[in-house]
Amino acid sequence: MTAAVELLKTRRLYLLLRDRIVTGAVGPGSRLPSEPALAQEHGVSRVTVRRALDLLAEEGLVRRRVGSGTFVEDPPASRPIVADFSNVLSNLIEMGRATAVKLLSFAYVAPPASIAEPLGLEPGERVQRSVRVRLIDGQPFSYLTTHVPERIGLTYSERDLATIPLLELMERSGIVAERATQSISATLVGPETAAALDLAPGSPVISLTRVVYEPSGRGVEHLHALYRPDRYAFQMDFVRTDVAGARRWTPTVVQASRTASSPRPSRPKRTASQKGTRP
Amino acid sequence: MTAAVELLKTRRLYLLLRDRIVTGAVGPGSRLPSEPALAQEHGVSRVTVRRALDLLAEEGLVRRRVGSGTFVEDPPASRPIVADFSNVLSNLIEMGRATAVKLLSFAYVAPPASIAEPLGLEPGERVQRSVRVRLIDGQPFSYLTTHVPERIGLTYSERDLATIPLLELMERSGIVAERATQSISATLVGPETAAALDLAPGSPVISLTRVVYEPSGRGVEHLHALYRPDRYAFQMDFVRTDVAGARRWTPTVVQASRTASSPRPSRPKRTASQKGTRP
DNA sequence: AGAAGCTGTCTGCTTTTTGATACAATTAGG
DNA sequence: CCTAATTGTATCAAAAAGCAGACAGCTTCT
């Protein structure tokens, strides 16, 4: 009755090996078992093993040497963009990198309850729904779906949205963003979103949901964002302090750094002159 | 040369529909196109469409009514556990929920460079590598791989690790955790990790990497954690304040709450009758 | 009541993926 | 130098996934 959709064996083995590599179970430089050995060990044919290894090699996780074996590569040290906890992209600006926004969709619609409820909307109140993709150095890294109450959305134009950060638009219109709550999770991209992010469908992405409130307690923005994990990561630093007699972690402002995999202790920063851009 | 591993059509369609549902493109209560319509629209057979819808129905995202159609369900309101930005589980404890830990692996090994470097280890220095799964109410939600310098790991026993939080163990031994840096991302689980988390291989998970330092600047813990997104989420609250003349977001301590998407006091769940303290 | 449209189920066929096997080219070690 | 082990490549067979079509039962609307 239930289909269950077994995962392709190639993909399955790929994920398994990839897992062992990224978690450090097999260290860089070490040799993987031979293809026939892997085939027997996992009950698949050598052809399938090869396909899985092909994928790993494409990603630069392993290197194959004819006659010798397949070896784990040193981490390619790809450096995702790092955002601090407040998700401010001022880091990027400081680094002088070019960000651009592409507006994919813009309309006023009746919101589903899952949007209307956290925004505290009256029944029947409409929202502005917009979908944007943000690029850095010409490459997409985030897919943003925002819902804004109609009364607020009307204070700026579609053209504004394609060029100016949403929160900045709202603050220009006199709307005061006072409080926000956000949660970070993970999900898979569908084919449409994948295409917009230049990803393969089914790739994992970071998922962020944020609601911004004005002082009255009413919601002014509902954001659902997806981030490419290879180009973006959330980084946060903490210090252990005594608060009311108890040891607690308190967050500190993270410094801009090009590396995420091996985050180094902070460095003296250059002063920010430009205003921050938000997703 | 490139295998590329095309995604199964069923899975592809499943992801696409799921995407439209969770992003609110199609609201709860609305009817999806009929199976023949979906089949034609996406160039697949009706059998494939059915399989994709089966998956959605299993997840509770849609409800199928014979003779009528397939309808988007109201959000299943699965409420993941919420951790505040500092990733402290005190929330859970306060909520009186039973957490347990299963120790899967424990050994002293030579660390790969990706671990040794952020920890600031001398060449040749060994580390204690442990793999644990954390359960809540008997169900696994996190998979933790920790690397600790040998000199620190020796201050507690394998048995200790299976029962007491690592940071607490270290502080008991006089090690001072002063600073930490962590980054959050997303990835896919391999078959082994998937089994430990009771997930299907290839499912998306939240990935967290954290390094904790002592006052001397040396690293005392390297943590690589994977979280089930349906049972765990990172939530953080912010307030907009004036700092040095500029408006900035500053984090506040998140309140313990059972809801992630919509902050609303939820009904009490079942009482924690069985508590599984494991060795 | 009747018609139209929908989901549920089954069957045979086609396409894609995986498997088994053989062999060539390269490397490392005795 | 020779041997054993490794990856690279090709071919054909087997298994799995997908497809097209038909039909039954239920729901909704005319």
Side-chain angles (χ1 to χ4, degrees):
Chain A
M1 150 187 314
T2 311
V5 179
E6 275 306 312
L7 214 49
L8 298 179
K9 297 195 179 179
T10 297
R11 187 172 179 77
R12 205 183 169 83
L13 181 57
Y14 156 75
L15 288 169
L16 181 136
L17 295 173
R18 173 179 162 282
D19 217 44
R20 290 189 181 168
I21 293 172
V22 300
T23 61
V26 294
S30 63
R31 210 201 78 184
L32 292 182
S34 72
E35 293 175 359
L38 283 173
Q40 179 170 9
E41 181 183 345
H42 297 99
V44 298
S45 75
R46 200 188 138 211
V47 185
T48 304
V49 170
R50 297 207 94 247
R51 283 198 264 260
L53 291 177
D54 284 342
L55 293 174
L56 293 171
E58 252 175 54
E59 266 182 73
L61 288 175
V62 300
R63 165 121 182 253
R64 325 179 74 173
R65 287 206 276 269
V66 176
S68 181
T70 302
F71 299 82
V72 178
E73 281 282 75
D74 294 277
S78 72
R79 41 290 105 202
I81 304 156
V82 172
D84 68 3
F85 46 78
S86 64
N87 190 27
V88 173
L89 288 179
S90 48
N91 292 346
L92 308 182
I93 314 300
E94 290 171 20
M95 293 190 290
R97 304 184 71 170
T99 69
V101 175
K102 199 159 38 169
L103 184 61
L104 299 185
S105 162
F106 183 88
Y108 287 89
V109 298
S114 55
I115 303 289
E117 198 244 335
L119 282 179
L121 298 183
E122 306 294 327
E125 200 172 349
R126 294 168 66 82
V127 295
Q128 174 197 91
R129 179 178 192 272
S130 62
V131 179
R132 290 170 295 164
V133 170
R134 188 170 285 273
L135 317 155
I136 185 157
D137 297 339
Q139 298 194 306
F141 73 95
S142 71
Y143 184 94
L144 313 166
T145 307
T146 52
H147 293 259
V148 172
E150 187 167 31
R151 68 177 195 284
I152 294 175
L154 291 174
T155 63
Y156 53 82
S157 73
E158 183 173 346
R159 177 175 300 273
D160 289 338
L161 192 60
T163 50
I164 306 175
L166 179 52
L167 269 183
E168 191 177 327
L169 282 177
M170 297 199 305
E171 296 198 332
R172 283 188 189 179
S173 305
I175 286 122
V176 178
E178 188 205 42
R179 194 165 53 80
T181 177
Q182 71 181 28
S183 93
I184 301 177
S185 187
T187 187
L188 303 178
V189 282
E192 295 176 330
T193 312
L197 286 175
D198 196 18
L199 278 175
S203 302
V205 288
I206 306 166
S207 163
L208 178 142
T209 303
R210 179 173 62 198
V211 183
V212 180
Y213 302 92
E214 58 185 357
S216 71
R218 292 191 299 183
V220 295
E221 181 202 13
H222 182 287
L223 168 70
H224 176 87
L226 301 177
Y227 299 93
R228 282 185 61 146
D230 59 335
R231 297 187 179 158
Y232 198 80
F234 288 91
Q235 186 178 337
M236 39 199 105
D237 290 359
F238 302 96
V239 289
R240 192 82 159 158
T241 50
D242 284 309
V243 175
R247 300 280 284 170
R248 291 194 78 97
W249 291 103
T250 55
T252 62
V253 177
V254 80
Q255 299 303 323
S257 138
R258 284 292 306 277
T259 60
S261 51
S262 53
R264 290 273 182 156
S266 50
R267 241 149 222 249
K269 59 167 176 213
R270 65 192 77 157
T271 45
S273 53
Q274 279 218 317
K275 230 181 113 38
T277 309
R278 312 191 92 274
Chain B
M1 177 198 285
T2 309
V5 179
E6 275 307 312
L7 214 48
L8 263 39
K9 297 196 179 179
T10 297
R11 187 170 179 77
R12 205 184 168 84
L13 181 56
Y14 156 75
L15 289 169
L16 181 134
L17 295 173
R18 173 178 163 283
D19 217 44
R20 290 188 181 170
I21 294 172
V22 301
T23 61
V26 294
S30 63
R31 209 201 79 184
L32 292 182
S34 72
E35 293 174 359
L38 284 171
Q40 179 172 8
E41 181 182 346
H42 298 99
V44 298
S45 75
R46 201 186 138 211
V47 185
T48 303
V49 170
R50 297 209 92 244
R51 282 200 266 260
L53 292 177
D54 284 343
L55 293 174
L56 293 172
E58 253 176 53
E59 265 181 75
L61 288 175
V62 301
R63 166 125 178 248
R64 326 179 72 173
R65 287 206 277 268
V66 175
S68 181
T70 302
F71 299 82
V72 178
E73 281 282 74
D74 294 278
S78 72
R79 302 156 195 293
I81 305 155
V82 172
D84 67 4
F85 45 77
S86 64
N87 189 27
V88 173
L89 289 179
S90 50
N91 292 348
L92 308 182
I93 315 299
E94 290 169 16
M95 293 190 287
R97 304 184 71 171
T99 69
V101 175
K102 197 157 40 169
L103 183 62
L104 299 185
S105 162
F106 184 88
Y108 287 89
V109 299
S114 55
I115 303 288
E117 197 246 335
L119 282 179
L121 297 183
E122 305 293 327
E125 200 173 348
R126 293 169 68 81
V127 295
Q128 173 198 90
R129 179 179 194 271
S130 61
V131 179
R132 291 170 294 166
V133 170
R134 189 169 285 274
L135 316 158
I136 186 156
D137 297 340
Q139 298 194 305
F141 72 95
S142 72
Y143 184 94
L144 312 166
T145 306
T146 52
H147 293 259
V148 173
E150 187 168 31
R151 68 178 196 285
I152 294 175
L154 291 174
T155 63
Y156 53 83
S157 73
E158 183 173 345
R159 176 175 300 273
D160 289 337
L161 192 60
T163 49
I164 306 173
L166 181 51
L167 269 183
E168 190 177 328
L169 282 177
M170 296 199 305
E171 296 200 331
R172 283 189 191 179
S173 304
I175 286 123
V176 179
E178 189 205 42
R179 197 164 49 79
T181 177
Q182 71 183 28
S183 92
I184 301 177
S185 186
T187 187
L188 302 177
V189 281
E192 295 175 329
T193 312
L197 286 175
D198 197 18
L199 277 176
S203 303
V205 288
I206 307 165
S207 165
L208 178 143
T209 303
R210 179 173 63 197
V211 183
V212 180
Y213 302 91
E214 59 185 356
S216 71
R218 291 190 300 182
V220 295
E221 181 203 13
H222 182 287
L223 167 70
H224 176 87
L226 300 177
Y227 299 93
R228 282 185 61 146
D230 59 335
R231 296 186 179 159
Y232 199 79
F234 288 92
Q235 187 178 339
M236 41 199 104
D237 290 358
F238 302 95
V239 289
R240 192 82 159 157
T241 50
D242 284 308
V243 175
R247 300 280 286 167
R248 291 193 78 98
W249 291 102
T250 56
T252 64
V253 177
V254 82
Q255 296 305 319
S257 136
R258 284 293 310 282
T259 62
S261 51
S262 51
R264 149 187 54 179
S266 62
R267 59 212 156 145
K269 214 182 173 181
R270 80 183 62 159
T271 53
S273 51
Q274 288 216 332
K275 93 171 29 180
T277 311
R278 295 190 66 108

